[in-house]
Amino acid sequence: MNNQNGYQPISVEVDMTQASSPSQRLSPTQISAFRKCGLRYWFSYLLGWREPPTPALAAGTIVHDTLEALFGLPATDRDFANAWTIMGTIGKELLLKPEYEHLGRGANRDDVRKRADAALTGYFNLEKPNEIEISHADLETDVDATLSGVFFHGRLDRRTRKPIDRVTDYKTGKKPSGAPLDDYVQQVMFYAAAINNGNDPGVEEVELLFLPDKQAVRRPVYPAAISRVTDVLMQTRSDIDNANQSSKWLAQPSRLCNYCPFKPVCPTQQKTAPIPGSSASQNMLSQTGLQRKSAPVANENGGAEFLPMELND
Ligand code: SF4
């Protein structure tokens, strides 16, 4: 059966020798990555391959950190001038880190700056942070839950309790439509499912703020929506475990292959590609400039470290 992009999914046998076990906890980004392409997920999360951060990723990190710091200020100080100053400091520090160093010069630096400026300016067109009541404990918080026996872990951007109880996810890329937008909504709905799972049935609405486009997307939280994402979580857990046991991962060729760092070694794209995970395949990936996380087995953090590849943009 074709996938939603009209391409035929292909089961690909891999060499598991150098791969770690799948994380016991699933995060929204991991689930989304796996469902987009199981083989890409395997390269990224279980083999631990990563590529240098892109301007989009750097800008996203800078803006998320800036908004977190802004909401740490008293409400009266949450203005654009202060946000701009904070962003300058955070941006400078980030681009000095060794893994971001290549983005700190020339066209790359301009690109990072342009994206971050557009997102921050867009944010102030969307809402007035000085009018938002927020507790420190509701900023960039870890959310852990066990849903129908499956461990969930994520880190949410923000939760506000007035005028209604709402979780918000900032997006620093463009607002998509159709299935990609549904995927974003699903990702933030996981947080509502996890939070409402215990003694805290509070979250009533989820929100995505597409900052450069100055657009908010809101969806109500209701039992059928919670039940849908819980089913997705359970199905994903089962699909990942089955793939891991069988050493066969489902590749989902699509137009996204053109942006996939594993295209040079992907058997769906190269007829003569060596078996993924074999020494030959690993050597080819090294030669493309990708780097491998030394201990992917330690991946219990919800996946943030493994997503420099804009799977989520
Ligand atoms: S090239 Fe396409 S099919 Fe192959 S791993 Fe990447 S996204 Fe999946």
Side-chain angles (χ1 to χ4, degrees):
M1 199 169 75
N2 290 355
N3 62 22
Q4 63 193 11
N5 300 303
Y7 296 84
Q8 178 85 38
I10 299 167
S11 175
V12 175
E13 182 138 24
V14 302
D15 180 338
M16 304 282 281
T17 316
Q18 297 187 45
S20 66
S21 301
S23 167
Q24 285 308 302
R25 303 185 300 177
L26 289 179
S27 69
T29 40
Q30 283 185 43
I31 295 166
S32 172
F34 175 77
R35 302 199 80 77
K36 280 180 187 149
C37 178
L39 186 61
R40 183 169 176 171
Y41 168 90
W42 181 74
F43 276 119
S44 187
Y45 285 87
L46 274 72
L47 279 182
W49 283 105
R50 51 188 303 177
E51 66 175 332
T54 60
L57 179 90
T61 303
I62 291 166
V63 172
H64 276 76
D65 290 353
T66 298
L67 292 177
E68 184 186 359
L70 187 71
F71 278 109
L73 298 177
T76 47
D77 292 340
R78 293 182 206 144
D79 55 27
F80 186 78
N82 280 336
W84 191 256
T85 304
I86 292 168
M87 191 165 83
T89 307
I90 288 175
K92 222 176 269 173
E93 282 171 7
L94 187 89
L95 296 182
L96 284 175
K97 290 186 178 174
E99 66 270 36
Y100 287 89
E101 204 216 332
H102 64 288
L103 299 178
R105 316 178 276 276
N108 275 341
R109 187 184 172 89
D110 292 345
D111 195 2
V112 174
R113 194 177 272 166
K114 214 167 94 187
R115 288 170 187 268
D117 292 358
L120 190 67
T121 308
Y123 171 74
F124 275 87
N125 277 277
L126 265 173
E127 59 182 26
K128 295 185 172 65
N130 58 343
E131 292 177 358
I132 291 176
E133 278 185 48
I134 190 157
S135 147
H136 236 305
D138 285 335
L139 283 172
E140 293 290 337
T141 33
D142 287 329
V143 177
D144 291 282
T146 306
L147 295 169
S148 294
V150 179
F151 298 122
F152 169 88
H153 171 82
R155 194 169 173 84
L156 62 77
D157 287 344
R158 179 180 102 185
R159 180 179 179 186
T160 43
R161 318 259 178 167
K162 290 180 184 171
I164 65 170
D165 206 316
R166 176 189 289 148
V167 292
T168 298
D169 198 14
Y170 305 124
K171 294 291 175 200
T172 51
K174 295 225 159 273
K175 175 178 168 282
S177 55
L181 179 60
D182 293 344
D183 181 58
Y184 281 145
V185 171
Q186 180 174 277
Q187 286 189 45
V188 72
M189 193 64 81
F190 281 122
Y191 289 103
I195 292 169
N196 291 13
N197 178 49
N199 297 322
D200 184 350
V203 177
E204 299 164 271
E205 187 174 84
V206 296
E207 176 182 64
L208 295 159
L209 295 183
F210 291 94
L211 306 183
D213 287 341
K214 310 174 189 77
Q215 288 190 53
V217 172
R218 291 177 177 162
R219 296 282 186 272
V221 175
Y222 52 95
I226 296 286
S227 159
R228 252 197 315 269
V229 293
T230 305
D231 287 348
V232 171
L233 181 73
M234 289 165 60
Q235 188 63 51
T236 306
R237 175 80 271 162
S238 158
D239 290 347
I240 288 175
D241 291 343
N242 287 339
N244 193 49
Q245 272 159 25
S246 65
S247 303
K248 287 183 182 156
W249 294 79
L250 200 62
Q252 304 248 34
S254 73
R255 59 178 183 78
L256 294 177
C257 294
N258 290 329
Y259 308 98
C260 176
F262 310 117
K263 187 176 179 185
V265 298
C266 177
T268 73
Q269 306 295 309
Q270 322 290 342
K271 280 196 179 105
T272 56
I275 295 177
S278 63
S279 299
S281 175
Q282 298 285 80
N283 288 341
M284 281 175 75
L285 280 176
S286 289
Q287 282 162 18
T288 67
L290 291 184
Q291 291 179 354
R292 195 164 168 226
K293 187 99 174 135
S294 53
V297 76
N299 180 22
E300 286 291 334
N301 66 356
E305 276 191 88
F306 281 85
L307 279 174
M309 290 179 285
E310 294 179 73
L311 291 176
N312 211 17
D313 252 17

